[in-house]
Amino acid sequence: MDNPPDSADAIRPSHTDGTSTGVLLVDLNDRQRSAVLHGEEPLLIVAGAGTGKTATLAHRVAYKIATGTDPERILLLTFTRRAAGEMLRRVDGILRRLQIETGRADPVPAGRPSTSGKVWGGTFHATAARLLRLHGRMIGLDPAFTILDRGDAEDLMGVVRTELGLSRNDRRFPLKATCLDIYSRCVNARESVEDAADTYFPWCKDGVEDLRRLFAAYVDRKGAQGVLDYDDLLLFWHGLMSDGRAARSVRSRFDCVLVDEYQDTNRLQAEILEMLCPEGKNLTVVGDDAQSIYSFRAATVRNILDFPQQFPDTRIVTLEQNYRSTQPLLDATNAMISGAVERHVKNLWTQRAGGPKPQMVTCEDEDEQSEYVIRQVLEHRESGLSLQRQAVLFRASHHSLALELELARRNIPFRKYGGLRFIETAHVKDLLAFLRLADNPRDLMAGSRVLMLLPGVGPKRAQTLMEHLRDPHTGFAAWMELPAPSSASAAMWDGLVSLMSAIGSRKPGDLASQIKRIRIFYTPLLERLYDNARARLMDLEQLEWLAGRFPDRARFLAEMALDPPSYAEDLAGPPLLDEDFLILSTMHSAKGLEWDAVYIIHAADGNIPSDMSTGSLEEIEEERRLFYVALTRAKDWLHVCYPLRYYKRSRGFGDVHGYAQLTRFLDERVRPLFDLTLASEFIDPERSAMQGESDTRNLGQTVDTADIRRRLKDLF
């Protein structure tokens, strides 16, 4: 379990002495080589920020393939599908270079998948969906299930909540979104309803018994409709691994399992992993406990902290050489995170020894903070650093509002991370509902959404129509015998029945043609229901084009539910024609990214850490890790801004204000590693100098208190 020695000779095995795989290791440092060449025992790679964890993991996958492991028997679990794709592209590049340098490169025939394309790569949820379709029958699960996205799961929870009478007005009961949050917390953190409500939803404690009833009915309703939500995918995978025969079938598929971003896994995922690799043989996990920031999704830092105890033969390799930041920045971030109560110890270092110290900037108020940031941004821009290479980070989305107004006033373009998700836009959800209904006529939420697009059709009428589809043998033919549900929908009813019968048949045609038929039928409805119809129709055309990449409808729907495109750029307004734009981002959204210059705003207690996350030591420690993530995004320049005053502007533009306190994470151990700066000195140095002289003159005067009292008495 000890970290590897620093001597390169001590860790380089014979593979590097003339054999073909030696070429594969030349770009790695000593610690990275040690991780890549590790044997079958469980391996924990503790990878500090910017230390090349992706390169290390990609090289380990490539090394396994190069030394004889069948790529089809490798499972690579990542946080996002895009991360898996990027990792496997790197693997292909590494293997290709190895073939070229060893003289064994052959042209790849057109249409043949790349070597890495055979690897099982993807998120926990996507992998679960794939395994359940292959092995689900062994535990009684129909593999033809459809997957509810977050919005549809909320809607179904809302339907059940109403049916149970929990929406009555005599008392407050959690709304459908909160109910789903509690349900998800119980599933992923393996907690009881009481514990989840007591710790994370204390305002819901009085409704625990009703929540139990609601969750039981919600589970039954999903089973009746043949649908799974996100949490079910992991829960049913866990159930698959709990069945002896099914577990053996799943384990027999894989010789090697690798997990990226292990600090972001929840308890249920850790249990699945342990059931998949009971002794930890050929199990590799990579992560950084200092970047575990997703407890609100039920992720727990305990998984990575306790991994060596879970698998006693674990070898720990700590990656500490940083390739991103300068040493002065690393000195400050190392000192800040060293205050963590519990962690895997690491001390990041770099060969980039130069660069300025990070700046700790005291601002009079929010306006001065905005002024300071904008002037610094423009000064960097004039010196050749584009706006896109600079980012302003903040704890909560509303913290940037004052800055956004000032940027807009000065005609400085910006893009804010956290916009409207593509999958959450109404027109995209509408189109996907047609496909989901065709795939599974029992899907009440999809069917109700489709039917209520028709004029004159409400929830009750839609539910009645859906009841006619319960018989799997008749399918959409059952609707052919029915009259139009309302006079207003008469003109469209026959077209809908014809459309659903066609795309729900055994030979519906390729997926792109199905979407085209839906789009043609749906266009007049979209134009009637929504504004900005042209941009929305362009989104649907993009979906039609995207569908050509998928072999079937089920795979397309699973991907769109589990890892959809992030943003609907056309709905954000007119196209951004500027050649450059500043990045604004929450700290959570900034994880995994980097910029040359980073400005962290509102570094005051109550904002960092958030006053909503100081109820326990665990919450405060996660806030420390979140601040660490923000600090480590900077490559060359780091500015941490701290306003002294906050005005209560919500009550008008008065002078009512309070004083702030610098974040507790920048204590007396950390502050000497920053240059302390007054924003006013940068904004208006001449005024600051005059103010300083005035202050000095005032400090030199002596005041007779008796004279003050005499003047006071003269008032009377």
Side-chain angles (χ1 to χ4, degrees):
M1 289 174 57
D2 295 332
N3 287 328
D6 290 330
S7 164
D9 293 335
I11 63 171
R12 266 189 208 126
S14 59
H15 292 90
T16 61
D17 298 328
T19 59
S20 62
T21 53
V23 215
L24 185 145
L25 308 171
V26 293
D27 293 333
L28 304 179
N29 64 41
D30 296 343
R31 295 284 180 87
Q32 290 171 331
R33 288 192 195 102
S34 178
V36 169
L37 298 172
H38 178 73
E40 295 184 344
E41 297 79 17
L43 173 64
L44 169 60
I45 304 174
V46 180
T51 57
K53 75 171 180 63
T54 302
T56 305
L57 196 57
H59 277 78
R60 182 155 174 81
V61 174
Y63 178 75
K64 288 287 186 183
I65 294 172
T67 52
T69 302
D70 183 348
E72 294 182 344
R73 299 185 62 77
I74 296 176
L75 174 60
L76 174 64
L77 295 167
T78 58
F79 199 59
T80 67
R81 179 175 57 85
R82 286 174 290 281
E86 171 61 24
M87 192 91 65
L88 295 176
R89 279 192 294 274
R90 289 201 189 195
V91 171
D92 268 336
I94 296 164
L95 292 174
R96 186 67 180 166
R97 190 180 66 182
L98 178 64
Q99 290 176 329
I100 291 171
E101 296 196 18
T102 56
R104 293 186 289 111
D106 299 314
V108 179
R112 195 181 80 184
S114 64
T115 301
S116 74
K118 302 174 184 177
V119 172
W120 278 61
T123 64
F124 270 89
H125 292 86
T127 301
R130 189 175 172 186
L131 287 171
L132 289 171
R133 294 201 192 280
L134 291 170
H135 301 282
R137 290 193 187 280
M138 301 178 77
I139 57 170
L141 177 67
D142 184 349
F145 60 84
T146 53
I147 301 170
L148 297 176
D149 64 23
R150 168 75 195 202
D152 291 317
E154 278 186 17
D155 290 342
L156 183 57
M157 182 73 78
V159 168
V160 178
R161 177 179 177 273
T162 300
E163 289 177 353
L164 293 179
L166 300 176
S167 59
R168 61 187 184 273
N169 296 324
D170 59 330
R171 67 186 181 99
R172 185 178 71 147
F173 190 77
L175 296 174
K176 61 182 182 180
T178 305
C179 292
L180 188 62
D181 286 340
I182 299 171
Y183 173 85
S184 184
R185 182 88 206 178
C186 294
V187 171
N188 290 290
R190 316 296 277 160
E191 293 177 352
S192 67
V193 179
E194 293 92 337
D195 289 343
D198 188 59
T199 306
Y200 298 98
F201 307 90
W203 62 93
C204 304
K205 287 193 292 186
D206 292 340
V208 165
E209 290 303 321
D210 284 335
L211 285 169
R212 281 205 194 93
R213 286 199 300 128
L214 172 62
F215 296 162
Y218 175 65
V219 169
D220 290 341
R221 186 61 58 86
K222 286 185 294 181
Q225 295 182 16
V227 298
L228 302 180
D229 62 22
Y230 289 163
D231 302 318
D232 289 333
L233 292 171
L234 296 183
L235 196 62
F236 278 76
W237 186 5
H238 187 280
L240 199 65
M241 301 307 297
S242 301
D243 179 88
R245 187 168 62 98
R248 285 191 295 273
S249 295
V250 174
R251 289 191 200 109
S252 67
R253 287 184 170 275
F254 308 116
D255 293 332
C256 183
V257 178
L258 305 97
V259 186
D260 191 20
E261 303 285 11
Y262 192 61
Q263 78 279 349
D264 293 330
T265 54
N266 58 46
R267 185 175 173 186
L268 180 58
Q269 289 167 325
E271 289 182 10
I272 290 170
L273 200 61
E274 186 172 16
M275 298 163 90
L276 192 60
C277 307
E279 288 90 34
K281 182 179 179 181
N282 272 320
L283 172 62
T284 299
V285 301
V286 183
D288 182 6
D289 55 287
Q291 297 186 67
S292 178
I293 59 173
Y294 292 116
S295 66
F296 63 91
R297 296 179 184 168
T300 172
V301 70
R302 298 298 341 158
N303 285 350
I304 192 167
L305 291 176
D306 297 340
F307 187 85
Q309 288 74 48
Q310 184 182 10
F311 299 100
D313 294 331
T314 295
R315 169 81 179 281
I316 302 176
V317 176
T318 306
L319 304 184
E320 296 178 305
Q321 183 175 355
N322 180 281
Y323 296 95
R324 175 186 300 156
S325 306
T326 60
Q327 193 60 51
L329 270 58
L330 293 178
D331 290 339
T333 55
N334 284 336
M336 196 282 295
I337 199 62
S338 69
V341 173
E342 188 177 3
R343 68 190 184 111
H344 288 295
V345 177
K346 54 190 169 299
N347 191 45
L348 301 186
W349 62 275
T350 182
Q351 294 179 344
R352 302 184 62 208
K357 292 171 71 173
Q359 302 289 309
M360 185 187 299
V361 186
T362 302
C363 309
E364 183 177 336
D365 52 27
E366 283 187 87
D367 289 339
E368 190 170 86
Q369 176 178 252
S370 298
E371 180 71 21
Y372 174 83
V373 168
I374 289 172
R375 290 199 180 209
Q376 284 283 359
V377 165
L378 294 177
E379 184 175 283
H380 277 305
R381 178 176 176 270
E382 290 301 317
S383 66
L385 189 68
S386 65
L387 295 179
Q388 291 184 67
R389 292 164 64 189
Q390 306 181 62
V392 182
L393 307 183
F394 32 86
R395 174 63 180 85
S397 184
H398 67 271
H399 288 166
S400 67
L401 295 180
L403 177 62
E404 290 176 47
L405 290 172
E406 193 61 18
L407 289 169
R409 189 179 73 81
R410 300 196 192 191
N411 195 30
I412 300 173
F414 63 89
R415 180 169 296 174
K416 188 172 181 180
Y417 280 67
L420 185 66
R421 288 178 62 86
F422 187 71
I423 197 66
E424 293 168 354
T425 56
H427 58 295
V428 172
K429 289 181 70 69
D430 289 346
L431 185 138
L432 293 178
F434 282 94
L435 291 174
R436 284 175 43 207
L437 180 60
D439 211 49
N440 177 9
R442 292 184 295 161
D443 189 336
L444 176 64
M445 303 316 299
S448 296
R449 187 176 189 101
V450 167
L451 290 165
M452 287 193 298
L453 291 171
L454 302 180
V457 178
K460 290 185 178 179
R461 185 57 180 155
Q463 187 167 354
T464 301
L465 289 169
M466 286 299 297
E467 289 174 359
H468 288 275
L469 300 182
R470 286 182 176 178
D471 186 347
H473 302 292
T474 58
F476 295 103
W479 281 356
M480 293 180 179
E481 309 299 325
L482 301 176
S486 69
S487 57
S489 64
M492 304 199 74
W493 176 246
D494 289 343
L496 175 63
V497 175
S498 175
L499 169 68
M500 296 311 303
S501 298
I503 65 175
S505 66
R506 292 186 178 182
K507 296 182 179 180
D510 65 86
L511 182 57
S513 67
Q514 294 176 50
I515 292 179
K516 183 175 182 178
R517 291 190 66 162
I518 295 169
R519 187 166 53 80
I520 292 170
F521 174 81
Y522 174 62
T523 294
L525 295 171
L526 181 149
E527 291 172 339
R528 180 178 64 85
L529 293 169
Y530 306 120
D531 59 3
N532 205 5
R534 181 174 176 274
R536 293 176 187 266
L537 288 170
M538 289 173 62
D539 285 342
L540 302 186
E541 289 175 5
Q542 285 293 102
L543 274 182
E544 184 180 329
W545 173 82
L546 181 66
R549 302 181 183 181
F550 292 85
D552 54 54
R553 186 168 59 205
R555 181 74 63 86
F556 175 76
L557 289 171
E559 289 288 346
M560 290 299 291
L562 296 173
D563 197 11
S566 296
Y567 304 107
E569 295 293 346
D570 291 327
L571 295 185
L576 189 63
L577 300 180
D578 294 274
E579 78 285 0
D580 200 8
F581 48 83
L582 179 67
I583 301 298
L584 307 184
S585 175
T586 63
M587 295 177 181
H588 281 99
S589 296
K591 186 171 179 290
L593 304 175
E594 60 182 37
W595 296 274
D596 294 73
V598 169
Y599 312 87
I600 298 174
I601 59 176
H602 295 294
D605 254 38
N607 294 328
I608 304 173
S610 167
D611 55 3
M612 300 293 290
S613 300
T614 54
S616 67
L617 178 61
E618 290 77 13
E619 289 178 303
I620 294 171
E621 285 298 287
E622 178 158 330
E623 291 289 302
R624 180 191 298 275
R625 296 193 295 268
L626 182 58
F627 188 43
Y628 174 79
V629 166
L631 294 175
T632 54
R633 299 309 94 194
K635 297 166 70 174
D636 298 295
W637 295 278
L638 175 63
H639 304 258
V640 180
C641 298
Y642 154 58
L644 288 172
R645 292 191 188 98
Y646 284 94
Y647 289 88
K648 297 184 181 298
R649 292 182 179 171
S650 58
R651 299 183 182 179
F653 293 93
D655 197 40
V656 181
H657 65 274
Y659 285 95
Q661 181 176 335
L662 179 67
T663 173
R664 68 191 72 181
F665 302 138
L666 297 179
D667 57 26
E668 63 277 359
R669 299 174 305 103
V670 184
R671 286 196 292 270
L673 298 168
F674 283 77
D675 274 339
L676 307 183
T677 305
L678 291 174
S680 58
E681 292 179 354
F682 177 79
I683 294 169
D684 192 348
E686 290 185 8
R687 189 186 69 175
S688 296
M690 291 175 62
Q691 182 65 44
E693 291 174 8
S694 173
D695 291 344
T696 303
R697 286 195 301 271
N698 290 336
L699 288 171
Q701 295 176 353
T702 58
V703 179
D704 186 346
T705 56
D707 184 57
I708 295 174
R709 291 191 181 96
R710 279 194 301 272
R711 293 176 188 173
L712 179 60
K713 286 190 287 186
D714 287 344
L715 293 175
F716 305 106

